[in-house]
Amino acid sequence: PQTIYLKDYTPFGWQVADVHLTVALAPNATRVKSRIHFVPNPNAPEQEFFLHGEELNLIRAAIDGEEVAPEITPQGLRCKVPSGPFLWESEVEIAPAENFALEGLYMSNGMYCTQCEAEGFRKITYYPDRPDVMATFTVRIEGDEKVKLSNGNPTDSGEGWAEWHDPWPKPAYLFALVAGDLVNHPGEFTTRSGKTVELNIWVRPGDEDKCAFGMEALKASMKWDEEVYGREYDLDIFNIVAVDDFNMGAMENKGLNIFNSSCVLASPETSTDANFERIEAIIAHEYFHNWTGNRITCRDWFQLCLKEGLTVFRDSQFTSDMRSAEVKRISDVIDLRARQFPEDQGPLSHPVRPESFQEINNFYTATVYEKGAEVIGMLKRLVGDEDYAKALDLYFERHDGDAATIEDWLKVFEDATGRDLAQFKRWYSQSGTPHLSVTEDHADGVYTLTFKQHTPPTPGQSEKAPQVLPIAVGLLNPNGDEVVPTTVLEMTEAEQSFSFDGLSSKPVPSILRGFSAPVVLERETAPEEKRFLLAHDTDAFNRWEASRDLARACLYAMITEGAGPDTAWIDALEQVVRDADLDPAFRALMLSLPTQSELVQMLHARGVTPDPDAIYAATEALKNAMAERWSALLPALREESAVTAAYSPDAEQSGKRALGNAVLALQTRLDGGKAAQAQYDAADNMTMQLSALSCLISAGAEETALAAFEAQWKDDRLVMDKWFALQVAATAPENAATRAGALTERADFDWKNPNRFRAVMGSLAMNHAGFHAKDGSGYKLLADWLIRLDEKNPQTTARMCSVFQTWKRYDTQRQALMQAELERIAAKPGLSRDVTEMVTRLLS
Ligand code: B3K
Ligand code: ZN
C-alpha cells in the first residue's frame, strides 16, 4: 500500500464552485448523477485532473455537455480538461445493499444511510475527496421512502423526491444522505439572536420513546455553545438519525448528524446511567463540531486533531459543567491511562499530528482524540482562561470558512497572547508519554522542587526533546492546611527547579493537580505521605490519585512478593468512602481499583513481566480483603446510596447508584450473590438490573437471571448487546474464551453488526486474564473472527487489531502465541489495506 506524507501536501488544482447531486435510490442499483462546476485554483501548481472514485460503475461522463472517456483506475479517474472553468457531469451506479464496510452509501435494516469521513464520499461518486476542497451542495433524492434527508435546509419535495440545499461550503466528508420509513421525535430551539431552529431525532418505528433524553441533550449543547463559546447554530433545521449498523459512535455531517443507535437511544429501562452520560456527551460532541470541524475544517487528514482534540476538549468542558468537574476529570484520566498510554508506549505510537499514514481510518485514535484534548487543556492552563477565550474568538473570526492547520491554530494563540509557542508545538510532533520525576529539598525556609523529564523512544523517534509541561502544584502544612494554593509551574527544560520561600516547616507537596499534563509521574513517596494526601488534599484529583498510588503499590507487592493486602490503605480509604459529605460519584471512583491495563503498564515500567493470572489473582484477593474488612460498613453504604425518587439519569442519582453498585460488587464476595439477586428482582431500571447481573455472573450464580434477562429483552438489539458483552466481560478468566466462542455460535450473533461484534470480541479483550489465557485460546478466537470480518468490514476489524498492541510486554510464550496470530492475519490473501497497515505496525 501507498504511504501518504504530511510534507507532500499540495493544494488541488481546481476549486469547486458548487455541487449538484441527484441520487435515485435502489438497493442494488442506485444511480448517482453529479454536476460540478470546476474553476482553476490560482494557488495550486499545475497538475493533471484526477477525481477520487472507488467501487463505482461509471455510466457516463461529460465536460461542458460533451461526453468524455476518462481513464479509470482502482482509485479514481484521470481526464483531459479545458484550461478554464468547466462543468463536469457524471453518472455512476452503486449497490448500497452489498456494502458491508459501512462506508459510503449503505443500508441498515432497510434504511439508506451514509458515512463519508474520512474518505467514503469517493464510494458515492467521482470527486476530489479531500477536506480542503469545499463546496455548497444541492441534493435531490429520488425514492419511495417516506423520509429523505440530506445536509442543509429542505428546499422542495414532491411524490417520490425531495431536494435539499446546504448553503455552507463543506468538504465531501461532511456529506450525508438518509432515506427510510423513519419517525421523528421533534423539538425546537430558539437561538440567542432569536432564530427558531427545527430539531428532529429520526428513528425506526418503535424507538420513538427513546429520544427525549437525546433531544434535551441537544438543546443543552446548543445553549452551552452560545453561552461558553459564543457559537450560534446556522441552519433552519438540525436532524439526528439513529442507525443500527455503524462503525463508530456518531458523525457530525452538516445539519444531519448520523448516530450509532447505541449513542442516541435512551430510556431508563434499557439504558444505564453510564449510557445516558455518554449519549449526552456524544450529542454535544457532534453538535460542537458544527463550529470546530465544519465551519472551520481541516486542510488535510494529518490535521485531524485540530477538530477532534478541540471538540473532545469542548465536550469534556460541557460534561464538567452539566455534572461534576472532578468526577469527569478522574474518569477521563482513568480512560487516558487505560487506552492512550498503552498506545503511546507501544508499536502503534504516533504523534498527535501524525506525519504519515496508509489508511487514515487507522488514525482515529486515543492519541489524536484524547491526547489531542489534553494538549488543548495544557494550552488553556498555560495561557489562562481569559486568554484562551480571546484566542478562541480570534480563531473563529480569522478561520471561519477555512480548511486550517495546527500552525493556524497555534498562531492564533501566539497573536492573542503574545506567547512564543514554538516549543509547545512539540506536543503535536513528538510521540510517547513523558516521564516526570521529582525530588524535594527544604533549607532555611525555602522549599525547592526539582523536576526531570524524559520521554522513552517510540517508533521512528529515538531522540526526544524536552516538552513544555504545566505542572500544577499545591503545598500543604503538616497539619493539613494548604499553605500554597494551586500554582502552575511551567517546565521547559529537561531538568528544572522551582522554589517557594517563607516555609518554616517542610510542606507536603501535591504535585500534578488535576492531572495538569499527560505524563507518567515517577515519585517514590512514603505511604504515610500518600495517606496524608488521601485525607487532606484539597484537590479532588490528587486525593483520588493518592489512593490510586497506594492501591498500585499494594498490588505491586502482592503480585511480585506475594505480600498481603495493605490494610493501612484500606482503612484510610474507608474514611473517604464513608464520608457522607463527599459526592457519592467521587466515592464510587475511590472504590475502583487500577485497571488491568494500568497494572500491566506499571509492572512493565518497573521491569517486571506482567503475568495476567497473577494480576487477576492479586486484584481478586485485594477486593476480597476490602469486602471482609468492611463487612459491617457495606450494608449501611448501600442503604445510604439507595434512590427512592423516580428514576432520573442526573449526576446526583447516578452517583448514588454508582456507589451502591460498587458496594454491591464487594458484598457479592461475602454473600455469593444474595443481595445481587434481590436487587435484580427488584430492579426497575437498567443500571440496577445490569449491575446486579454483573455481580451474579462474577459469583457464578447467574443462570436464572441470565435466562430471565434474555427472555425480557430478546427483541431489543441494544439491550441484548449488553447481555452478550457482560457474559464475556464479567466471567472468570478461565471461562472467557469458551464463553465468547459459544456466544458466536448463536443465531443472533449478527457479526456484521459492529455493535454485536464488539460486544463479544471487545469484551473478550477487556477480560484481561481471559484474553491472555496461557493456551492462546483467546488470541486464536479473536484472530479467527478478525480474519472473517475483514472481508466485510475492514474498518472495524482494523480498529480491533489494536488489542494486540501490548503483545511485546508479555512472557515469551504469550508473545510467540500473539505473534503467530498476527502473522496468520497478515498472511491472509486479500487482506484489506486497513488491517495490513495495522498488523505491519504491530509486528514491526
Ligand atoms: N468525526 C467522526 C469520526 C469519523 C471516523 C471515521 N473513521 C466522529 C467524531 O469524532 O465526532
Ligand atoms: Zn469528533
Side-chain angles (χ1 to χ4, degrees):
Q2 201 197 339
T3 301
I4 321 280
Y5 295 93
L6 166 62
K7 61 175 168 47
D8 291 344
Y9 172 80
T10 340
F12 184 56
W14 290 262
Q15 288 162 345
V16 177
D18 50 37
V19 178
H20 283 251
L21 294 180
T22 301
V23 183
L25 295 168
N28 293 297
T30 291
R31 289 285 176 112
V32 182
K33 287 187 202 161
S34 71
R35 285 168 56 85
I36 304 166
H37 283 101
F38 286 102
V39 180
N41 180 357
N43 309 314
E46 215 177 283
Q47 56 198 271
E48 65 177 355
F49 184 72
F50 178 81
L51 299 179
H52 296 109
E54 285 176 18
E55 296 159 40
L56 304 172
N57 181 8
L58 181 65
I59 308 292
R60 172 180 174 267
I63 289 178
D64 292 330
E66 298 278 321
E67 282 213 23
V68 290
E71 178 200 339
I72 310 283
T73 75
Q75 283 80 41
L77 63 75
R78 263 184 271 278
C79 195
K80 258 182 78 81
V81 298
S83 55
F86 62 91
L87 170 67
W88 164 265
E89 287 173 281
S90 80
E91 179 171 358
V92 300
E93 190 173 285
I94 51 179
E98 300 293 305
N99 180 353
F100 300 105
L102 315 183
E103 189 187 52
L105 177 69
Y106 66 95
M107 298 191 77
S108 171
N109 280 319
M111 69 189 270
Y112 292 89
C113 60
T114 54
Q115 171 54 38
C116 292
E117 188 177 358
E119 299 179 332
F121 192 72
R122 62 189 64 181
K123 293 183 167 181
I124 297 176
T125 193
Y126 286 101
Y127 196 73
D129 188 6
R130 37 186 294 167
D132 59 345
V133 173
M134 298 170 81
T136 57
F137 279 65
T138 304
V139 179
R140 180 184 160 97
I141 309 169
E142 298 173 356
D144 301 332
E145 295 70 24
K146 279 213 287 284
V147 177
K148 296 184 269 295
L149 309 169
S150 190
N151 314 92
N153 298 314
T155 45
D156 203 1
S157 64
E159 191 57 37
W161 63 275
E163 207 169 274
W164 291 76
H165 175 69
D166 184 358
W168 297 104
K170 66 166 176 291
Y173 83 85
L174 291 172
F175 168 82
L177 179 154
V178 169
D181 294 330
L182 305 173
V183 290
N184 66 322
H185 176 105
E188 200 178 272
F189 182 80
T190 307
T191 68
R192 62 174 181 176
S193 68
K195 252 185 58 181
T196 306
V197 182
E198 178 189 333
L199 311 175
N200 290 297
I201 299 184
W202 296 93
V203 297
R204 290 201 283 141
D207 284 337
E208 42 295 38
D209 56 340
K210 293 182 186 156
C211 302
F213 179 79
M215 182 56 77
E216 290 318 303
L218 174 60
K219 291 182 203 167
S221 311
M222 296 178 87
K223 188 153 183 289
W224 188 91
D225 215 15
E226 290 186 349
E227 286 173 354
V228 180
Y229 279 84
R231 299 295 110 201
E232 208 175 307
Y233 188 60
D234 53 7
L235 289 166
D236 306 337
I237 186 167
F238 187 84
N239 286 311
I240 286 179
V241 181
V243 174
D244 286 330
D245 299 279
F246 207 67
N247 277 335
M248 62 277 170
M251 177 64 212
E252 71 264 23
N253 317 298
K254 183 81 188 189
L256 177 53
N257 287 1
I258 300 183
F259 274 63
N260 185 323
S261 51
S262 72
C263 297
V264 55
L265 301 180
S267 79
E269 297 73 33
T270 57
S271 314
T272 62
D273 292 331
N275 294 150
F276 277 100
E277 181 173 338
R278 187 169 133 81
I279 287 168
E280 180 178 87
I282 296 182
I283 289 194
H285 178 99
E286 305 311 332
Y287 175 73
F288 296 158
H289 268 314
N290 190 54
W291 275 93
T292 51
N294 302 3
R295 287 287 285 260
I296 305 179
T297 193
C298 303
R299 186 193 71 175
D300 53 67
W301 290 119
F302 297 103
Q303 321 294 331
L304 184 58
C305 64
L306 179 72
K307 73 178 178 81
E308 295 305 348
L310 177 53
T311 306
V312 171
F313 182 70
R314 273 151 51 71
D315 85 55
S316 72
Q317 288 182 298
F318 171 76
T319 299
S320 304
D321 285 354
M322 301 286 286
R323 294 162 182 264
S324 151
E326 285 87 8
V327 167
K328 173 65 175 161
R329 187 62 189 143
I330 295 168
S331 317
D332 281 352
V333 175
I334 292 176
D335 194 52
L336 191 79
R337 285 178 175 154
R339 300 194 307 115
Q340 200 276 327
F341 278 23
E343 180 171 275
D344 221 356
Q345 297 164 23
L348 299 181
S349 184
H350 55 275
V352 169
R353 181 169 70 174
E355 273 147 32
S356 71
F357 62 75
Q358 290 175 354
E359 171 52 61
I360 184 57
N361 283 321
N362 288 335
F363 287 84
Y364 286 73
T365 58
T367 298
V368 170
Y369 276 65
E370 274 75 32
K371 189 176 177 183
E374 291 297 319
V375 170
I376 292 174
M378 285 190 286
L379 197 50
K380 180 162 180 281
R381 225 178 249 274
L382 288 169
V383 304
D385 293 353
E386 238 173 80
D387 277 1
Y388 174 81
K390 266 207 302 199
L392 266 285
D393 286 344
L394 183 59
Y395 180 60
F396 292 121
E397 187 191 309
R398 188 183 283 176
H399 292 293
D400 187 9
D402 287 354
T405 61
I406 289 303
E407 282 72 18
D408 294 329
W409 164 254
L410 289 175
K411 183 78 169 60
V412 153
F413 275 80
E414 291 190 324
D415 291 352
T417 68
R419 261 177 185 260
D420 177 353
L421 292 172
Q423 188 186 357
F424 186 82
K425 197 177 169 191
R426 283 182 192 148
W427 277 108
Y428 288 97
S429 57
Q430 195 161 279
S431 58
T433 316
H435 289 231
L436 182 65
S437 61
V438 49
T439 52
E440 51 180 342
D441 181 63
H442 184 248
D444 307 323
V446 179
Y447 178 71
T448 304
L449 287 169
T450 300
F451 294 94
K452 280 189 197 167
Q453 59 163 308
H454 89 102
T455 303
T458 52
Q461 293 186 354
S462 46
E463 297 296 321
K464 306 283 184 179
Q467 317 233 93
V468 182
L469 303 180
I471 307 172
V473 169
L475 301 179
L476 282 77
N477 247 352
N479 67 8
D481 291 339
E482 187 164 79
V483 282
V484 173
T486 306
T487 308
V488 179
L489 310 175
E490 191 174 331
M491 182 178 186
T492 54
E493 312 285 323
E495 180 173 345
Q496 207 168 341
S497 297
F498 300 88
S499 295
F500 303 83
D501 25 78
L503 295 166
S504 48
S505 50
K506 182 181 163 306
V508 177
S510 166
I511 297 170
L512 210 67
R513 283 185 159 177
F515 202 61
S516 59
V519 301
V520 175
L521 182 60
E522 289 166 348
R523 182 158 179 261
E524 295 295 322
T525 328
E528 297 74 44
E529 191 176 313
K530 294 280 177 210
R531 288 198 295 271
F532 173 87
L533 290 172
L534 167 57
H536 299 290
D537 205 326
T538 56
D539 182 74
F541 176 83
N542 265 4
R543 221 176 154 186
W544 170 83
E545 181 82 319
S547 182
R548 194 77 160 191
D549 273 339
L550 288 164
R552 276 188 288 258
C554 161
L555 286 163
Y556 183 81
M558 291 174 80
I559 293 164
T560 58
E561 300 153 21
D566 173 2
T567 50
W569 165 63
I570 298 179
D571 292 346
L573 179 59
E574 179 180 337
Q575 298 313 310
V576 177
V577 172
R578 59 157 69 232
D579 183 348
D581 292 334
L582 292 171
D583 178 359
F586 175 74
R587 291 151 71 198
L589 284 174
M590 295 295 294
L591 281 176
S592 77
L593 290 186
T595 60
Q596 312 268 303
S597 148
E598 215 175 315
L599 296 172
V600 169
Q601 283 171 67
M602 172 189 68
L603 291 163
H604 177 75
R606 298 190 192 179
V608 180
T609 302
D611 172 356
D613 301 318
I615 293 175
Y616 178 76
T619 308
E620 286 295 295
L622 181 54
K623 287 178 184 170
N624 286 337
M626 291 162 78
E628 275 154 29
R629 208 159 173 93
W630 295 342
S631 60
L633 172 68
L634 298 177
L637 276 178
R638 271 192 76 219
E639 215 161 289
E640 185 206 325
S641 53
V643 175
T644 46
Y647 179 89
S648 154
D650 61 26
E652 195 192 325
Q653 275 198 17
S654 52
K656 285 187 173 177
R657 280 187 289 269
L659 178 59
N661 286 324
V663 171
L664 181 68
L666 292 174
Q667 257 184 326
T668 303
R669 294 173 179 273
L670 302 177
D671 73 3
K674 243 180 92 193
Q677 185 65 53
Q679 175 168 318
Y680 187 89
D681 295 336
D684 63 357
N685 63 71
M686 185 49 69
T687 308
M688 298 301 270
Q689 191 178 15
L690 202 66
S691 43
L693 184 60
S694 168
C695 291
L696 289 169
I697 295 173
S698 310
E702 74 271 34
E703 213 173 311
T704 322
L706 207 55
F709 192 98
E710 184 185 359
Q712 185 182 358
W713 296 115
K714 58 180 183 316
D715 296 325
D716 190 310
R717 236 168 127 167
L718 294 176
V719 180
M720 284 305 284
D721 286 337
K722 301 183 200 303
W723 183 86
F724 274 88
L726 198 58
Q727 291 181 67
V728 182
T731 199
E734 62 269 26
N735 304 327
T738 319
R739 212 153 170 174
L743 287 170
T744 63
E745 306 278 317
R746 288 174 56 104
D748 56 353
F749 179 66
D750 174 8
W751 55 276
K752 294 193 204 75
N753 174 260
N755 290 356
R756 188 61 47 97
F757 188 88
R758 281 189 287 254
V760 176
M761 294 300 150
S763 302
L764 175 60
M766 294 294 290
N767 189 322
H768 182 249
F771 178 56
H772 291 282
K774 246 199 166 92
D775 62 359
S777 53
Y779 308 145
K780 178 171 184 312
L781 180 68
L782 180 61
D784 285 346
W785 277 101
L786 292 177
I787 287 171
R788 185 156 174 194
L789 185 66
D790 187 52
E791 281 178 22
K792 300 286 177 196
N793 187 337
Q795 236 183 82
T796 290
T797 311
R799 181 158 275 269
M800 197 145 287
C801 288
S802 63
V803 303
F804 286 110
Q805 68 186 345
T806 51
W807 71 277
K808 285 185 188 157
R809 291 185 173 180
Y810 294 90
D811 52 86
T812 47
Q813 193 186 330
R814 285 187 172 88
Q815 277 192 37
L817 289 165
M818 283 188 267
Q819 184 176 358
E821 295 302 342
L822 286 167
E823 281 166 356
R824 184 159 70 92
I825 298 172
K828 163 96 202 304
L831 195 69
S832 67
R833 175 176 61 198
D834 310 55
V835 176
T836 303
E837 181 182 29
M838 288 299 279
V839 292
T840 309
R841 288 164 69 207
L842 285 164
L843 285 168
S844 68

